[in-house]
Amino acid sequence: MTNELHKYFDAERRAVGRAREFVVTSLEVWGITGEPAEDIRLCVSELASNALAHGTRRGHGFLVRIRADEDSVRLEVHDSRDISPERQPRLEEATDTDTAGRGLSIVDALADDWGVDVRSPYGKVVWSHFKAAPALQPA
């Protein structure tokens, strides 16, 4: 059995908190708590922040999709900017004094896998995958 939910968020500062709340509530309904839920919560915050800061075109927001199956959770953040060399999401080495540049390092450390896919007709999907055993219930 697989549960999947998605929600669109307008490009506004409050969207990151709302995306985090959407994911946390979904995880709770599915019986995913503790460390896996906390890791996913942190990752959605980072990915939604990146989408808001770097991935949305004027007038476009972003979409968060979360899917749980028997032994894993997949988190996706869809945005409207195409993948280009200068906008390709990538790990960066942040120094102690940098105020940005740690988001994907956090995702890389917490998720079992992550990546970036092209989204049709435009944009990209930054996804992360977590091993977690939900107590599956209908969404």
Side-chain angles (χ1 to χ4, degrees), residues 51-135:
L52 194 58
H54 309 292
T56 56
R57 294 191 283 177
R58 185 177 305 275
H60 294 262
F62 61 92
L63 180 122
V64 174
R65 177 175 287 141
I66 186 162
R67 182 177 68 224
D69 60 24
E70 292 80 23
D71 61 357
S72 65
V73 173
R74 181 179 170 101
L75 170 67
E76 299 176 354
V77 177
H78 300 233
D79 67 41
S80 56
R81 289 228 190 250
D82 291 334
I83 297 174
S84 63
E86 63 275 358
R87 291 203 176 269
Q88 174 70 30
R90 62 184 171 276
L91 290 174
E92 295 182 13
E93 292 292 325
T95 67
D96 291 342
T97 58
D98 286 340
T99 58
R102 293 177 180 82
L104 286 179
S105 294
I106 291 169
V107 173
D108 188 61
L110 297 177
D112 292 297
D113 197 11
W114 72 275
V116 182
D117 294 329
V118 174
R119 183 172 185 258
S120 183
Y122 56 84
K124 64 185 167 299
V125 178
V126 183
W127 57 267
S128 52
H129 186 263
F130 305 85
K131 294 177 185 166

